[in-house]
Amino acid sequence: MRAVLWRGPGRLLLATVAAAAGFTTAGAQIRFTYSSGQTVSPAYEGWMPTPNGFAMYFGYMNTNWLQEFDVPIGPDNAIEPGGPDRGQPTHFYPRRSPFLFTVDVPKDIGTTELIWTLSTNGKTEKAYASLKTDYQIDNQVISTEVGGDFGSLRDELRTNIPPELRVEGPKHRSVRVGEPLTLIAFAGDPDNLPARRDGKLQPRNASGQMPGESAAPAAPRASPPSNPANLATLIYRPPSSIVPSSGPGLRFSWLVYRGKSSAVTFTPDQMKTWTDTRAYANSPWSPPYTIPVPPADGKWTTQATFAEAGTYTLRAVASDGSVFTYDNVTVSVGR
């Protein structure tokens, strides 16, 4: 049995291929999925030019479906040169989290590589980031890699404007264990691209206003089948497609970027930002799923409650289904 690794700009796929021996059909294959015990592979997604240099995009692939990791900044989670802390996460959700963060580098970086080293389950893996021309990306590439707009390749997505995002309040907060922290964020889609397929209205900016437009009632989510056996079969079946697909439409979520995710409870429950393709998984890549209609004023109110003391970084994620905008809030939790 051999492991086959495909790598390319914005793509990191891992499959395990079995030898044909023992099968009646030549070339038969077995695809294994794992709940735990596997590693996290850091991924370099590509680069874009910026006014002052270049932005290098990174993400990761956690080969496990259930096991999550907390890897502090240090020898086991470092980006060099200039690190070890270059803004990478320390909490790693299951499966694929693409285009999760960027590292800005100057115009004179030349052929210097950034190397992200990540050790999980006793194995060390590295991602090598450079300005090679094959790794130049644009917003259409990002959309394609995340299955945005149902996998559309239309040219308009090259000029897609990322959502506006504004988180109210200070960037650093303090609360006690068990004390709810209210988080208020405003998000809007300035160009309404890609537009919702149902034609329902969306806020266009993060001002908290949508002049001249009124909100449509939220579209109900599809209900899971009532038979528990059928539901279990759907939830735990293997993903039906190697490349996930997501519908267009403004959406917003909080995630734990640094800190112990199991110690944080969000109310209401947050739509997943990692590509969970299992059915009824509260994920925009999960069939069947309807992207909820956003609030008319673009205002999302969430409460975060912490079960353990420590320092946490919460990341706000606004997406139009194709590209993303991020903002962070650091929370010091005392007893």
Side-chain angles (χ1 to χ4, degrees):
M1 187 172 291
R2 59 192 176 90
V4 182
L5 181 67
W6 291 276
R7 293 192 66 178
R11 181 66 56 85
L12 179 62
L13 299 175
L14 181 66
T16 304
V17 182
F23 295 93
T24 57
T25 303
Q29 295 181 343
I30 294 178
R31 290 171 55 194
F32 292 98
T33 59
Y34 298 89
S35 296
S36 61
Q38 304 305 299
T39 60
V40 179
S41 298
Y44 173 52
E45 316 284 8
W47 60 270
M48 284 190 196
T50 65
N52 298 315
F54 304 93
M56 290 180 164
Y57 286 73
F58 293 85
Y60 64 83
M61 173 62 173
N62 180 351
T63 318
N64 305 291
W65 280 95
L66 296 180
Q67 186 177 10
E68 302 182 18
F69 297 88
D70 291 290
V71 187
I73 300 297
D76 291 337
N77 183 6
I79 298 179
E80 298 291 356
D85 190 348
R86 300 299 299 266
Q88 69 268 34
T90 65
H91 182 80
F92 297 87
Y93 288 93
R95 308 304 293 174
R96 187 78 163 98
S97 289
F99 304 97
L100 185 62
F101 68 98
T102 61
V103 176
D104 292 327
V105 296
K107 292 182 179 180
D108 61 357
I109 188 174
T111 59
T112 301
E113 287 186 321
L114 292 187
I115 303 174
W116 185 11
T117 302
L118 188 61
S119 298
T120 53
N121 278 342
K123 184 176 180 181
T124 298
E125 301 198 30
K126 298 176 184 287
Y128 298 86
S130 71
L131 296 180
K132 292 180 180 179
T133 55
D134 287 350
Y135 282 93
Q136 184 171 2
I137 60 175
D138 58 27
N139 283 345
Q140 184 199 52
V141 172
I142 294 176
S143 180
T144 301
E145 292 296 313
V146 301
D149 198 23
F150 295 116
S152 171
L153 293 174
R154 54 196 176 113
D155 285 339
E156 294 92 332
L157 295 174
R158 295 188 189 279
T159 57
N160 182 15
I161 301 173
E164 289 188 8
L165 174 61
R166 176 173 59 90
V167 176
E168 281 195 344
K171 296 296 185 186
H172 293 80
R173 320 276 181 97
S174 296
V175 295
R176 295 186 180 278
V177 170
E179 176 187 354
L181 172 67
T182 299
L183 300 164
I184 297 175
F186 291 88
D189 187 2
D191 58 359
N192 196 35
L193 179 70
R196 293 180 62 95
R197 296 295 173 87
D198 58 15
K200 294 183 177 179
L201 299 175
Q202 302 186 135
R204 295 297 184 91
N205 55 48
S207 68
Q209 297 179 345
M210 193 164 62
E213 298 178 335
S214 58
R221 299 183 186 181
S223 299
S226 57
N227 187 325
N230 291 342
L231 178 59
T233 299
L234 284 169
I235 292 177
Y236 294 104
R237 67 174 175 79
S240 58
S241 173
I242 292 177
V243 180
S245 176
S246 170
L250 181 69
R251 76 286 307 262
F252 174 84
S253 294
W254 287 96
L255 61 87
V256 178
Y257 193 69
R258 292 185 174 184
K260 188 177 179 181
S261 176
S262 60
V264 184
T265 301
F266 292 110
T267 305
D269 191 25
Q270 301 295 286
M271 182 191 308
K272 291 174 181 173
T273 58
W274 57 273
T275 50
D276 192 343
T277 54
R278 297 168 296 181
Y280 299 102
N282 192 26
S283 158
W285 297 274
S286 168
Y289 193 83
T290 299
I291 304 300
V293 177
D297 57 1
K299 179 181 179 180
W300 276 266
T301 301
T302 308
Q303 285 192 330
T305 306
F306 303 84
E308 297 181 15
T311 301
Y312 300 79
T313 299
L314 307 181
R315 169 156 287 196
V317 183
S319 172
D320 59 12
S322 291
V323 291
F324 314 88
T325 303
Y326 304 118
D327 199 4
N328 291 346
V329 172
T330 300
V331 184
S332 298
V333 180
R335 298 187 184 281

PDB file of all heavy atoms in Angstrom, residues 116-138:
ATOM      1  N   TRP A 116       6.777  26.842   6.847  1.00  0.00           N
ATOM      2  CA  TRP A 116       5.901  26.585   7.992  1.00  0.00           C
ATOM      3  C   TRP A 116       6.123  25.148   8.442  1.00  0.00           C
ATOM      4  O   TRP A 116       5.865  24.208   7.690  1.00  0.00           O
ATOM      5  CB  TRP A 116       4.448  26.814   7.615  1.00  0.00           C
ATOM      6  CG  TRP A 116       3.475  26.687   8.766  1.00  0.00           C
ATOM      7  CD1 TRP A 116       3.761  26.597  10.098  1.00  0.00           C
ATOM      8  CD2 TRP A 116       2.047  26.642   8.670  1.00  0.00           C
ATOM      9  NE1 TRP A 116       2.611  26.507  10.852  1.00  0.00           N
ATOM     10  CE2 TRP A 116       1.538  26.532   9.996  1.00  0.00           C
ATOM     11  CE3 TRP A 116       1.155  26.690   7.597  1.00  0.00           C
ATOM     12  CZ2 TRP A 116       0.175  26.454  10.264  1.00  0.00           C
ATOM     13  CZ3 TRP A 116      -0.210  26.626   7.864  1.00  0.00           C
ATOM     14  CH2 TRP A 116      -0.690  26.514   9.190  1.00  0.00           C
ATOM     15  N   THR A 117       6.604  24.986   9.668  1.00  0.00           N
ATOM     16  CA  THR A 117       6.857  23.674  10.255  1.00  0.00           C
ATOM     17  C   THR A 117       5.765  23.372  11.266  1.00  0.00           C
ATOM     18  O   THR A 117       5.472  24.184  12.146  1.00  0.00           O
ATOM     19  CB  THR A 117       8.228  23.644  10.952  1.00  0.00           C
ATOM     20  OG1 THR A 117       9.245  23.969   9.999  1.00  0.00           O
ATOM     21  CG2 THR A 117       8.510  22.277  11.546  1.00  0.00           C
ATOM     22  N   LEU A 118       5.152  22.187  11.148  1.00  0.00           N
ATOM     23  CA  LEU A 118       4.037  21.818  12.021  1.00  0.00           C
ATOM     24  C   LEU A 118       4.181  20.354  12.409  1.00  0.00           C
ATOM     25  O   LEU A 118       4.312  19.480  11.539  1.00  0.00           O
ATOM     26  CB  LEU A 118       2.708  22.053  11.302  1.00  0.00           C
ATOM     27  CG  LEU A 118       1.426  21.894  12.113  1.00  0.00           C
ATOM     28  CD1 LEU A 118       1.380  22.879  13.273  1.00  0.00           C
ATOM     29  CD2 LEU A 118       0.204  22.089  11.212  1.00  0.00           C
ATOM     30  N   SER A 119       4.163  20.094  13.720  1.00  0.00           N
ATOM     31  CA  SER A 119       4.304  18.723  14.223  1.00  0.00           C
ATOM     32  C   SER A 119       3.030  18.310  14.947  1.00  0.00           C
ATOM     33  O   SER A 119       2.587  18.990  15.883  1.00  0.00           O
ATOM     34  CB  SER A 119       5.498  18.613  15.182  1.00  0.00           C
ATOM     35  OG  SER A 119       6.705  18.933  14.520  1.00  0.00           O
ATOM     36  N   THR A 120       2.447  17.192  14.528  1.00  0.00           N
ATOM     37  CA  THR A 120       1.236  16.652  15.156  1.00  0.00           C
ATOM     38  C   THR A 120       1.338  15.135  15.165  1.00  0.00           C
ATOM     39  O   THR A 120       1.848  14.528  14.215  1.00  0.00           O
ATOM     40  CB  THR A 120      -0.040  17.066  14.400  1.00  0.00           C
ATOM     41  OG1 THR A 120       0.094  16.723  13.011  1.00  0.00           O
ATOM     42  CG2 THR A 120      -0.301  18.562  14.533  1.00  0.00           C
ATOM     43  N   ASN A 121       0.831  14.532  16.226  1.00  0.00           N
ATOM     44  CA  ASN A 121       0.854  13.071  16.372  1.00  0.00           C
ATOM     45  C   ASN A 121       2.238  12.488  16.086  1.00  0.00           C
ATOM     46  O   ASN A 121       2.376  11.430  15.447  1.00  0.00           O
ATOM     47  CB  ASN A 121      -0.200  12.422  15.461  1.00  0.00           C
ATOM     48  CG  ASN A 121      -1.585  12.437  16.093  1.00  0.00           C
ATOM     49  OD1 ASN A 121      -1.724  12.620  17.308  1.00  0.00           O
ATOM     50  ND2 ASN A 121      -2.615  12.267  15.285  1.00  0.00           N
ATOM     51  N   GLY A 122       3.272  13.192  16.540  1.00  0.00           N
ATOM     52  CA  GLY A 122       4.627  12.682  16.442  1.00  0.00           C
ATOM     53  C   GLY A 122       5.276  12.785  15.079  1.00  0.00           C
ATOM     54  O   GLY A 122       6.375  12.262  14.876  1.00  0.00           O
ATOM     55  N   LYS A 123       4.651  13.489  14.149  1.00  0.00           N
ATOM     56  CA  LYS A 123       5.220  13.622  12.806  1.00  0.00           C
ATOM     57  C   LYS A 123       5.308  15.095  12.433  1.00  0.00           C
ATOM     58  O   LYS A 123       4.384  15.867  12.695  1.00  0.00           O
ATOM     59  CB  LYS A 123       4.371  12.868  11.785  1.00  0.00           C
ATOM     60  CG  LYS A 123       4.963  12.895  10.374  1.00  0.00           C
ATOM     61  CD  LYS A 123       4.137  12.064   9.409  1.00  0.00           C
ATOM     62  CE  LYS A 123       4.726  12.099   8.007  1.00  0.00           C
ATOM     63  NZ  LYS A 123       3.916  11.306   7.048  1.00  0.00           N
ATOM     64  N   THR A 124       6.411  15.482  11.805  1.00  0.00           N
ATOM     65  CA  THR A 124       6.627  16.863  11.400  1.00  0.00           C
ATOM     66  C   THR A 124       6.446  17.001   9.893  1.00  0.00           C
ATOM     67  O   THR A 124       7.007  16.206   9.120  1.00  0.00           O
ATOM     68  CB  THR A 124       8.035  17.339  11.792  1.00  0.00           C
ATOM     69  OG1 THR A 124       8.158  17.275  13.220  1.00  0.00           O
ATOM     70  CG2 THR A 124       8.279  18.766  11.328  1.00  0.00           C
ATOM     71  N   GLU A 125       5.679  18.004   9.490  1.00  0.00           N
ATOM     72  CA  GLU A 125       5.485  18.299   8.071  1.00  0.00           C
ATOM     73  C   GLU A 125       5.752  19.777   7.843  1.00  0.00           C
ATOM     74  O   GLU A 125       5.620  20.595   8.751  1.00  0.00           O
ATOM     75  CB  GLU A 125       4.071  17.910   7.620  1.00  0.00           C
ATOM     76  CG  GLU A 125       3.775  16.430   7.837  1.00  0.00           C
ATOM     77  CD  GLU A 125       2.603  15.949   7.017  1.00  0.00           C
ATOM     78  OE1 GLU A 125       2.380  16.506   5.919  1.00  0.00           O
ATOM     79  OE2 GLU A 125       1.904  15.018   7.468  1.00  0.00           O
ATOM     80  N   LYS A 126       6.105  20.116   6.609  1.00  0.00           N
ATOM     81  CA  LYS A 126       6.481  21.488   6.275  1.00  0.00           C
ATOM     82  C   LYS A 126       5.772  21.943   5.007  1.00  0.00           C
ATOM     83  O   LYS A 126       5.479  21.139   4.114  1.00  0.00           O
ATOM     84  CB  LYS A 126       7.998  21.604   6.075  1.00  0.00           C
ATOM     85  CG  LYS A 126       8.830  21.262   7.306  1.00  0.00           C
ATOM     86  CD  LYS A 126      10.322  21.318   6.986  1.00  0.00           C
ATOM     87  CE  LYS A 126      11.177  20.887   8.166  1.00  0.00           C
ATOM     88  NZ  LYS A 126      11.206  21.901   9.239  1.00  0.00           N
ATOM     89  N   ALA A 127       5.499  23.247   4.948  1.00  0.00           N
ATOM     90  CA  ALA A 127       5.010  23.896   3.726  1.00  0.00           C
ATOM     91  C   ALA A 127       6.036  24.938   3.320  1.00  0.00           C
ATOM     92  O   ALA A 127       6.522  25.705   4.168  1.00  0.00           O
ATOM     93  CB  ALA A 127       3.648  24.541   3.956  1.00  0.00           C
ATOM     94  N   TYR A 128       6.370  24.981   2.030  1.00  0.00           N
ATOM     95  CA  TYR A 128       7.396  25.883   1.511  1.00  0.00           C
ATOM     96  C   TYR A 128       6.727  26.940   0.639  1.00  0.00           C
ATOM     97  O   TYR A 128       6.076  26.607  -0.358  1.00  0.00           O
ATOM     98  CB  TYR A 128       8.427  25.103   0.709  1.00  0.00           C
ATOM     99  CG  TYR A 128       9.170  24.075   1.537  1.00  0.00           C
ATOM    100  CD1 TYR A 128       8.637  22.791   1.724  1.00  0.00           C
ATOM    101  CD2 TYR A 128      10.377  24.376   2.147  1.00  0.00           C
ATOM    102  CE1 TYR A 128       9.307  21.845   2.492  1.00  0.00           C
ATOM    103  CE2 TYR A 128      11.060  23.439   2.915  1.00  0.00           C
ATOM    104  CZ  TYR A 128      10.516  22.178   3.085  1.00  0.00           C
ATOM    105  OH  TYR A 128      11.176  21.243   3.841  1.00  0.00           O
ATOM    106  N   ALA A 129       6.870  28.195   1.021  1.00  0.00           N
ATOM    107  CA  ALA A 129       6.197  29.300   0.330  1.00  0.00           C
ATOM    108  C   ALA A 129       7.217  30.136  -0.421  1.00  0.00           C
ATOM    109  O   ALA A 129       8.211  30.588   0.155  1.00  0.00           O
ATOM    110  CB  ALA A 129       5.437  30.173   1.328  1.00  0.00           C
ATOM    111  N   SER A 130       6.965  30.366  -1.692  1.00  0.00           N
ATOM    112  CA  SER A 130       7.854  31.191  -2.504  1.00  0.00           C
ATOM    113  C   SER A 130       7.024  31.995  -3.491  1.00  0.00           C
ATOM    114  O   SER A 130       5.804  31.803  -3.606  1.00  0.00           O
ATOM    115  CB  SER A 130       8.866  30.317  -3.264  1.00  0.00           C
ATOM    116  OG  SER A 130       8.209  29.588  -4.291  1.00  0.00           O
ATOM    117  N   LEU A 131       7.690  32.870  -4.218  1.00  0.00           N
ATOM    118  CA  LEU A 131       7.016  33.705  -5.217  1.00  0.00           C
ATOM    119  C   LEU A 131       7.179  33.141  -6.622  1.00  0.00           C
ATOM    120  O   LEU A 131       7.166  33.885  -7.603  1.00  0.00           O
ATOM    121  CB  LEU A 131       7.563  35.133  -5.167  1.00  0.00           C
ATOM    122  CG  LEU A 131       7.316  35.892  -3.864  1.00  0.00           C
ATOM    123  CD1 LEU A 131       7.905  37.290  -3.949  1.00  0.00           C
ATOM    124  CD2 LEU A 131       5.821  35.957  -3.540  1.00  0.00           C
ATOM    125  N   LYS A 132       7.275  31.846  -6.726  1.00  0.00           N
ATOM    126  CA  LYS A 132       7.321  31.233  -8.046  1.00  0.00           C
ATOM    127  C   LYS A 132       6.044  31.566  -8.819  1.00  0.00           C
ATOM    128  O   LYS A 132       4.950  31.619  -8.249  1.00  0.00           O
ATOM    129  CB  LYS A 132       7.484  29.724  -7.933  1.00  0.00           C
ATOM    130  CG  LYS A 132       8.840  29.303  -7.380  1.00  0.00           C
ATOM    131  CD  LYS A 132       8.952  27.792  -7.287  1.00  0.00           C
ATOM    132  CE  LYS A 132      10.313  27.382  -6.746  1.00  0.00           C
ATOM    133  NZ  LYS A 132      10.451  25.908  -6.619  1.00  0.00           N
ATOM    134  N   THR A 133       6.191  31.799 -10.109  1.00  0.00           N
ATOM    135  CA  THR A 133       5.040  32.264 -10.907  1.00  0.00           C
ATOM    136  C   THR A 133       3.893  31.265 -10.902  1.00  0.00           C
ATOM    137  O   THR A 133       2.727  31.656 -11.014  1.00  0.00           O
ATOM    138  CB  THR A 133       5.479  32.546 -12.349  1.00  0.00           C
ATOM    139  OG1 THR A 133       6.114  31.370 -12.886  1.00  0.00           O
ATOM    140  CG2 THR A 133       6.462  33.702 -12.410  1.00  0.00           C
ATOM    141  N   ASP A 134       4.195  29.972 -10.777  1.00  0.00           N
ATOM    142  CA  ASP A 134       3.133  28.964 -10.772  1.00  0.00           C
ATOM    143  C   ASP A 134       2.206  29.118  -9.571  1.00  0.00           C
ATOM    144  O   ASP A 134       1.097  28.572  -9.581  1.00  0.00           O
ATOM    145  CB  ASP A 134       3.730  27.561 -10.759  1.00  0.00           C
ATOM    146  CG  ASP A 134       4.342  27.169 -12.089  1.00  0.00           C
ATOM    147  OD1 ASP A 134       4.123  27.916 -13.066  1.00  0.00           O
ATOM    148  OD2 ASP A 134       5.040  26.138 -12.159  1.00  0.00           O
ATOM    149  N   TYR A 135       2.648  29.816  -8.550  1.00  0.00           N
ATOM    150  CA  TYR A 135       1.860  29.960  -7.339  1.00  0.00           C
ATOM    151  C   TYR A 135       1.117  31.293  -7.263  1.00  0.00           C
ATOM    152  O   TYR A 135       0.515  31.589  -6.233  1.00  0.00           O
ATOM    153  CB  TYR A 135       2.752  29.791  -6.105  1.00  0.00           C
ATOM    154  CG  TYR A 135       3.083  28.345  -5.806  1.00  0.00           C
ATOM    155  CD1 TYR A 135       4.245  27.761  -6.297  1.00  0.00           C
ATOM    156  CD2 TYR A 135       2.219  27.562  -5.047  1.00  0.00           C
ATOM    157  CE1 TYR A 135       4.547  26.430  -6.035  1.00  0.00           C
ATOM    158  CE2 TYR A 135       2.504  26.239  -4.773  1.00  0.00           C
ATOM    159  CZ  TYR A 135       3.668  25.679  -5.276  1.00  0.00           C
ATOM    160  OH  TYR A 135       3.961  24.361  -5.017  1.00  0.00           O
ATOM    161  N   GLN A 136       1.140  32.088  -8.306  1.00  0.00           N
ATOM    162  CA  GLN A 136       0.357  33.322  -8.279  1.00  0.00           C
ATOM    163  C   GLN A 136      -1.118  32.978  -8.430  1.00  0.00           C
ATOM    164  O   GLN A 136      -1.507  32.181  -9.281  1.00  0.00           O
ATOM    165  CB  GLN A 136       0.771  34.289  -9.383  1.00  0.00           C
ATOM    166  CG  GLN A 136       0.032  35.625  -9.295  1.00  0.00           C
ATOM    167  CD  GLN A 136       0.576  36.673 -10.247  1.00  0.00           C
ATOM    168  OE1 GLN A 136       1.493  36.414 -11.031  1.00  0.00           O
ATOM    169  NE2 GLN A 136       0.016  37.871 -10.180  1.00  0.00           N
ATOM    170  N   ILE A 137      -1.939  33.594  -7.588  1.00  0.00           N
ATOM    171  CA  ILE A 137      -3.368  33.303  -7.570  1.00  0.00           C
ATOM    172  C   ILE A 137      -4.161  34.600  -7.674  1.00  0.00           C
ATOM    173  O   ILE A 137      -3.614  35.698  -7.584  1.00  0.00           O
ATOM    174  CB  ILE A 137      -3.778  32.541  -6.283  1.00  0.00           C
ATOM    175  CG1 ILE A 137      -3.458  33.382  -5.038  1.00  0.00           C
ATOM    176  CG2 ILE A 137      -3.096  31.186  -6.224  1.00  0.00           C
ATOM    177  CD1 ILE A 137      -3.931  32.749  -3.738  1.00  0.00           C
ATOM    178  N   ASP A 138      -5.466  34.473  -7.880  1.00  0.00           N
ATOM    179  CA  ASP A 138      -6.379  35.606  -7.823  1.00  0.00           C
ATOM    180  C   ASP A 138      -7.664  35.122  -7.152  1.00  0.00           C
ATOM    181  O   ASP A 138      -7.753  33.969  -6.706  1.00  0.00           O
ATOM    182  CB  ASP A 138      -6.638  36.199  -9.211  1.00  0.00           C
ATOM    183  CG  ASP A 138      -7.210  35.186 -10.198  1.00  0.00           C
ATOM    184  OD1 ASP A 138      -7.873  34.208  -9.763  1.00  0.00           O
ATOM    185  OD2 ASP A 138      -7.006  35.359 -11.415  1.00  0.00           O
TER     186      ASP A 138
END
